[in-house]
Amino acid sequence: MRGEPEVHEEFEARLKAYQGRPAAATGVGRDPVNEPMIRHWCEAMGDTSPAYTGPDAVAPPTMLQAWTMAGLTRRPERTAAYDELLTLLDESGHHAVVATDCEQEYLRPLRPGDEITFDSVIESVSGRKTTKLGAGYFVTTRTDVRANGEPAGTHRFRILKYAPAHGPSTPSERRPRPVVNRDNAGFWEGVARRELLIQRCTACATLRFPWLPGCTTCGSPDWDTVEASGEGTVHSYVVMHHPPFPAFEPPYAVGLIELAEGVRIVSNVVGVPHDKVRIGMPVRLEFRRYDDELVLPVFQGVTP
């Protein structure tokens, strides 16, 4: 039965005992690396790099995890040890889960026709941490990916298994804070000034979003910014119904917005009912303050 979170040294020792045990053994990619998936990925990301097309095409490095994913089915290679670890956390009251971050290392390019195999290990289980969502444990798995039997990359995936915080005044009702790092700090500084800034390569003038440390077209590390006009259209969207989260009120629309400048950004579509959002709908940028610290760019739907 689910009760109050279990916290003591013996319990944490049981969790730590899973470190180093397999999470998935001898996994096989459902499909070889292939051009249709590369094309769909590039269209969704707005990535027009010539490296991903033609007879010598390679797959975008960030697709590394895509070749190991199972879709909506449970992978047969997932181990009993990983299931036991998650069950142990569930039964101790840490039954909520959220993915927190991932890290990837690329060892060689993947090309159409490469056959993918992989193994995963439970790399680490943290001590109990208190977060704005609630208190819990970070579980990190490391997946070693091979292409035609050769090492191709490593993917680390981290989740938080936690006991949700409760009460009307708990921090869990605040929206999650954006992750600000050296690559995107300038974007968030612009948001604080009510400016939506797009990176521009100073070598080839290509605009890019989200912010990246280098140009995906010519490879130059040098860039400046241009301010978006704020005009755009809904390129695609989803309506979120589940899972519920105290900081949000479902259902609500999340759109992939194509800005007038040609780049795309993910944000909320506001000001119109969620069931009235449509692909191609004009939208206009506005900035909304959600609490004393958080201002976010959102897009107001423009109806005829």
Side-chain angles (χ1 to χ4, degrees):
M1 295 179 62
R2 293 177 179 174
E4 290 302 313
E6 182 181 352
V7 184
H8 49 70
E9 291 183 3
E10 181 183 351
F11 175 70
E12 294 201 352
R14 291 172 65 192
L15 296 179
K16 294 286 186 181
Y18 285 92
Q19 292 181 158
R21 298 180 66 179
T26 318
V28 178
R30 294 184 64 175
D31 300 284
V33 178
N34 62 83
E35 294 177 2
M37 287 177 66
I38 293 172
R39 183 175 66 253
H40 294 327
W41 177 281
C42 290
E43 289 177 355
M45 297 298 177
D47 193 337
T48 59
S49 172
Y52 308 139
T53 60
D56 298 319
V58 298
T62 48
M63 286 189 74
L64 183 67
Q65 186 189 19
W67 309 113
T68 68
M69 296 177 73
L72 300 179
T73 60
R74 182 187 183 281
R75 295 306 300 241
E77 64 275 358
R78 182 161 142 176
T79 64
Y82 189 65
D83 286 337
E84 289 170 8
L85 173 59
L86 298 186
T87 299
L88 181 59
L89 287 163
D90 284 343
E91 292 179 346
S92 66
H94 305 90
H95 50 81
V97 63
V98 63
T100 61
D101 63 288
C102 68
E103 301 172 12
Q104 293 184 336
E105 179 183 5
Y106 312 117
L107 303 178
R108 83 154 176 84
L110 297 177
R111 294 181 170 83
D114 282 345
E115 298 283 348
I116 300 301
T117 55
F118 60 93
D119 293 284
S120 296
V121 65
I122 303 167
E123 188 170 64
S124 65
V125 183
S126 75
R128 195 164 189 259
K129 305 293 184 181
T130 300
T131 75
K132 293 179 179 179
L133 294 176
Y137 298 86
F138 290 93
V139 178
T140 303
T141 54
R142 187 191 76 241
T143 300
D144 296 312
V145 180
R146 299 176 295 277
N148 300 331
E150 300 177 359
T154 298
H155 176 82
R156 285 181 172 84
F157 190 68
R158 187 171 295 109
I159 63 172
L160 172 65
K161 288 285 289 177
Y162 65 98
H166 298 290
S169 61
T170 62
S172 65
E173 295 191 359
R174 300 183 352 149
R175 286 205 172 206
R177 309 291 98 170
V179 176
V180 180
N181 55 42
R182 64 182 181 180
D183 292 329
N184 66 15
F187 170 76
W188 292 107
E189 290 166 3
V191 169
R193 300 190 301 268
R194 305 304 198 270
E195 299 173 353
L196 183 63
L197 299 180
I198 304 169
Q199 279 185 312
R200 176 175 58 190
C201 176
T202 54
C204 68
T206 298
L207 300 179
R208 64 178 185 262
F209 194 91
W211 283 36
L212 296 169
C215 180
T216 57
T217 298
C218 73
S220 172
D222 300 319
W223 53 272
D224 59 11
T225 62
V226 296
E227 184 178 356
S229 67
E231 303 298 320
T233 57
V234 176
H235 179 78
S236 183
Y237 71 97
V238 295
V239 176
M240 301 297 296
H241 295 269
H242 188 81
F245 185 76
F248 299 85
E249 296 182 5
Y252 55 91
V254 178
L256 178 61
I257 307 302
E258 182 153 335
L259 300 178
E261 291 75 16
V263 298
R264 297 171 186 164
I265 179 174
V266 175
S267 186
N268 288 106
V269 180
V270 301
V272 294
H274 67 274
D275 56 354
K276 300 299 182 184
V277 177
R278 294 290 183 269
I279 291 174
M281 170 184 283
V283 292
R284 185 174 298 113
L285 172 69
E286 66 176 58
F287 292 91
R288 286 195 174 183
R289 177 172 291 280
Y290 288 92
D291 56 47
D292 291 341
E293 301 173 355
L294 185 63
V295 174
L296 294 176
V298 297
F299 288 85
Q300 174 84 27
V302 179
T303 54

